[in-house]
Amino acid sequence: MKKDELIEQLMALVDSLRQEKESLTKQVESLTGQLAAVTGELSSLRRLLEGKAEQEVQLRKARKAIKALSGSRSERQAPPVAEKDDEGASPVEEREPSRKTNNGAKRKPHYEVETKVVDVYPDDPSFDKSTARELAHRDVVRYELIPMRFMRVIYRVHKYSQGDTVLEGKAPDAPFLNSNYDGSFIAGLAHLRYMYSMPVERIVKYFNENGFDMEKATAHGLLAKTETLFDGLYKSLREAVKTDRYIAADETYHNVLLRDGGGRGIKRGYIWSTVAMNHGLAYFHYHDGARRSEIFLDFIKGYKGTFQSDGYVTYRTAEGWYDRIGCFQHVKRKFLDCGDDPDAKVIVRLINHIYHLDNKHRIGVDGWTERQHGRWRKERCVPVMEVIRKKLDRLAADKSILPKSDKHEAVHYMIGEWGALMGILDRGDFKLDNNTIERLNRYVSLSRRNSLFFGSHKGAERGAMFYSLVCSCRLCGVNFFKYISDVINKAANLPPNAPLSKYRELLPDRWAKGH
């Protein structure tokens, strides 16, 4: 082959390769454009799905709120009344329920109430008790309700001269100087206001209806003076709670009416609550309604025991001070919020199984000890937690779970709380959840529904003090009315600078031992 022909062939081959390269470059550019378009569509679709997930979360919350509202007794609609025909009869006649008999069941005798015996004799005109001979008698019991009774007690203090000495009687002391109200009266106010969540205005109306004319300002004044009198008791309660080696904490809210610049506004104020699980004492505190971390940290500073709470960041901030354990119910609720998701249902069933296993034994029942219960938890409950962890890790790695979905939040919340949850199973006496304190927070919730708001920050602080005593009495099995009636007089007799140790003896746990 000649040299020129070889060069021409090589040049033709180069041109052919150049054309193929250009064609491939165009194809690559076209595919790159298509890929970019698909990537954009995928990003847009993902943003759309995330937005839809957020809408579903909002709709689910709205449905839950509507369901709770419709389930409230105060919001239920009365059933329609059946229209009557021309003759005055309803189209559907309802039978009058037959009067049920006791069917031989044993009646409760109620020996605890005051008993009065009234003799009932024959009312026949010919009856003469002096000549008649009694054959037998039978007792017919009726329970009567006497509305709230008020007593105006006059202590007539007599003064005598005996020789060179003047003797005079001494009336019982009142809790407050120049006050006519006994401790039992103030205890009744506090009992209705903070135990049964009646607004002061309603209490005063109730008093008036039962024969005692009282002004609303007077009732508020008595409660305010009691708060001042109980200042040492409240401070002693704060310190006593922190001496327990195992405490639990939570926070709730109550609306507060504020007056600023002549106007009025309602603010959501937070109340911090703490329970000493072994002492049976509760401490609520309020600081201008704030939920700032420094309020809690100032209270808990120096505590070295075990602290149970949810995963709120403020509680996690001080984990270096105490050993924090978590709450299975908070975790479970997040998975329940996922609705019918099959993975969430599995985790809920596994958490329920942990409760089932843990409730098979009770410390102190049939000789079951704390140490035995701790071993039981490690043998039976810890393996269930290992199964849960494997499933959580698989779900956490699943890229199809949208970041802002309920499922994503539930999975990562439980993973973040894992160490605190496992800490519950280290001992036999730790509660699986924080329900003890959440049940006590319902006293604030009831007040929130009935009273709507506290009248000021000062009123909220007073409420926190009284709720502390109410819940402490409940935990110790103490009658709150009897407790306040007794303690208010004892606190009034203590000197102004009495040490907190004196007040410590008046707290419900120790007061109960003496009564």
Side-chain angles (χ1 to χ4, degrees):
M1 181 179 295
K2 294 182 180 180
K3 182 178 179 181
D4 293 339
E5 293 178 354
L6 181 60
I7 292 173
E8 290 178 359
Q9 291 179 1
L10 292 173
M11 292 296 293
L13 180 60
V14 169
D15 290 338
S16 176
L17 292 173
R18 184 181 298 110
Q19 292 176 0
E20 289 182 5
K21 179 181 178 182
E22 292 175 355
S23 176
L24 290 172
T25 301
K26 291 180 180 180
Q27 292 180 11
V28 170
E29 291 176 352
S30 176
L31 291 174
T32 302
Q34 294 178 12
L35 180 61
V38 171
T39 302
E41 291 179 359
L42 288 175
S43 300
S44 176
L45 182 60
R46 186 174 183 84
R47 287 194 297 270
L48 182 63
L49 289 174
E50 291 177 352
K52 185 178 179 182
E54 291 183 11
Q55 292 178 358
E56 289 179 352
V57 171
Q58 294 175 357
L59 287 173
R60 190 177 299 115
K61 291 180 179 178
R63 284 196 295 269
K64 287 171 66 177
I66 294 173
K67 184 178 179 181
L69 185 62
S70 62
S72 173
R73 293 183 179 180
S74 61
E75 300 295 336
R76 290 178 186 169
Q77 296 287 338
V81 179
E83 297 181 357
K84 295 184 177 181
D85 58 19
D86 295 336
E87 297 180 359
S90 299
V92 180
E93 290 290 337
E94 294 186 359
R95 290 186 179 181
E96 182 179 355
S98 60
R99 187 173 181 179
K100 295 183 178 180
T101 62
N102 203 40
N103 295 327
K106 186 177 180 181
R107 298 178 186 269
K108 190 173 182 179
H110 291 288
Y111 293 125
E112 73 277 7
V113 302
E114 180 183 350
T115 301
K116 179 176 67 173
V117 178
V118 178
D119 293 305
V120 181
Y121 298 102
D123 58 359
D124 192 292
S126 63
F127 172 70
D128 184 358
K129 183 180 177 182
S130 61
T131 60
R133 180 170 61 89
E134 184 173 6
L135 300 176
H137 75 268
R138 61 188 178 92
D139 291 338
V140 179
V141 178
R142 296 289 183 267
Y143 294 107
E144 298 179 356
L145 174 63
I146 300 175
M148 179 173 283
R149 298 172 62 184
F150 297 91
M151 186 71 66
R152 181 171 177 256
V153 181
I154 300 176
Y155 293 96
R156 189 157 293 157
V157 181
H158 295 274
K159 182 186 291 187
Y160 289 90
S161 173
Q162 183 173 311
D164 296 333
T165 307
V166 176
L167 302 175
E168 184 179 10
K170 187 178 185 303
D173 292 330
F176 308 126
L177 188 64
N178 297 326
S179 174
N180 293 331
Y181 292 96
D182 182 65
S184 62
F185 192 99
I186 300 165
L189 276 174
H191 194 244
L192 293 175
R193 174 63 186 92
Y194 299 104
M195 175 68 81
Y196 294 107
S197 304
M198 289 178 63
V200 171
E201 184 175 0
R202 195 176 302 169
I203 295 172
V204 170
K205 184 178 180 181
Y206 180 55
F207 282 7
N208 291 337
E209 290 174 350
N210 285 277
F212 192 90
D213 188 12
M214 187 178 196
E215 299 294 333
K216 181 179 175 181
T218 304
H220 276 298
L222 289 173
L223 293 175
K225 290 179 180 179
T226 306
E227 179 194 8
T228 303
L229 182 65
F230 281 172
D231 182 62
L233 191 70
Y234 190 42
K235 290 178 179 177
S236 176
L237 179 59
R238 174 188 175 101
E239 298 305 317
V241 165
K242 294 196 292 183
T243 61
D244 199 317
R245 63 181 180 86
Y246 174 27
I247 64 176
D250 199 6
E251 73 284 342
T252 187
Y253 74 93
H254 199 297
N255 293 328
V256 182
L257 178 64
L258 302 179
R259 296 171 176 82
D260 185 15
R264 293 187 177 186
I266 295 179
K267 172 187 175 181
R268 173 175 290 192
Y270 282 91
I271 298 176
W272 302 82
S273 50
T274 311
V275 170
M277 303 297 285
N278 296 308
H279 294 336
L281 296 174
Y283 177 73
F284 291 73
H285 57 114
Y286 176 94
H287 295 273
D288 296 332
R291 205 184 180 192
R292 298 189 306 269
S293 297
E294 53 264 29
I295 296 174
F296 168 76
L297 296 177
D298 178 67
F299 162 71
I300 204 66
K301 186 176 181 180
Y303 182 70
K304 300 295 184 182
T306 300
F307 182 89
Q308 187 165 29
S309 70
D310 56 26
Y312 181 42
V313 63
T314 296
Y315 302 134
R316 301 178 69 171
T317 301
E319 285 183 334
W321 296 353
Y322 46 64
D323 297 325
R324 192 180 76 86
I325 57 177
C327 172
F328 276 99
Q329 281 300 321
H330 276 83
V331 172
K332 179 180 171 181
R333 287 174 204 154
K334 291 188 177 294
F335 284 102
L336 288 174
D337 289 340
C338 297
D340 295 329
D341 184 88
D343 292 320
K345 285 187 172 182
V346 170
I347 294 179
V348 169
R349 284 198 297 269
L350 289 171
I351 293 175
N352 287 341
H353 187 57
I354 291 176
Y355 274 88
H356 173 73
L357 292 171
D358 196 69
N359 290 332
K360 282 181 176 287
H361 300 284
R362 297 280 184 178
I363 298 174
V365 178
D366 297 329
W368 190 254
T369 65
E370 176 187 327
R371 181 171 296 182
Q372 287 175 317
H373 201 62
R375 287 200 300 265
W376 172 266
R377 282 180 167 181
K378 291 179 180 179
E379 292 173 0
R380 301 300 180 92
C381 298
V382 171
V384 180
M385 289 293 287
E386 293 173 352
V387 174
I388 294 177
R389 185 57 197 247
K390 290 180 181 179
K391 188 166 186 63
L392 289 175
D393 291 338
R394 181 180 64 79
L395 293 173
D398 189 350
K399 300 298 183 182
S400 65
I401 301 177
L402 299 176
K404 294 185 179 181
S405 64
D406 288 338
K407 187 174 180 180
H408 183 276
E409 181 184 353
V411 169
H412 287 82
Y413 179 82
M414 189 169 188
I415 291 176
E417 286 288 281
W418 190 259
L421 294 173
M422 292 298 292
I424 298 175
L425 305 179
D426 286 341
R427 291 176 58 98
D429 59 335
F430 292 155
K431 302 288 186 182
L432 292 181
D433 50 52
N434 222 16
N435 285 357
T436 300
I437 195 165
E438 291 193 5
R439 284 191 291 267
L440 299 180
N441 281 341
R442 290 178 184 173
Y443 283 99
V444 181
S445 301
L446 286 173
S447 175
R448 190 167 64 231
R449 294 178 184 178
N450 295 339
S451 300
L452 302 182
F453 51 79
F454 287 120
S456 63
H457 285 315
K458 190 63 180 174
E461 292 174 4
R462 184 181 310 135
M465 186 275 292
F466 274 110
Y467 287 130
S468 300
L469 298 177
V470 165
C471 295
S472 295
C473 285
R474 175 181 170 178
L475 291 171
C476 295
V478 169
N479 184 299
F480 179 69
F481 175 82
K482 292 181 179 179
Y483 173 77
I484 295 295
S485 299
D486 180 65
V487 169
I488 192 171
N489 291 318
K490 291 180 177 178
N493 290 325
L494 287 175
N497 297 324
L500 295 183
S501 59
K502 293 288 186 181
Y503 290 100
R504 178 66 182 93
E505 299 302 318
L506 299 180
L507 293 180
D509 59 333
R510 295 190 180 175
W511 184 90
K513 295 177 181 178
H515 294 76

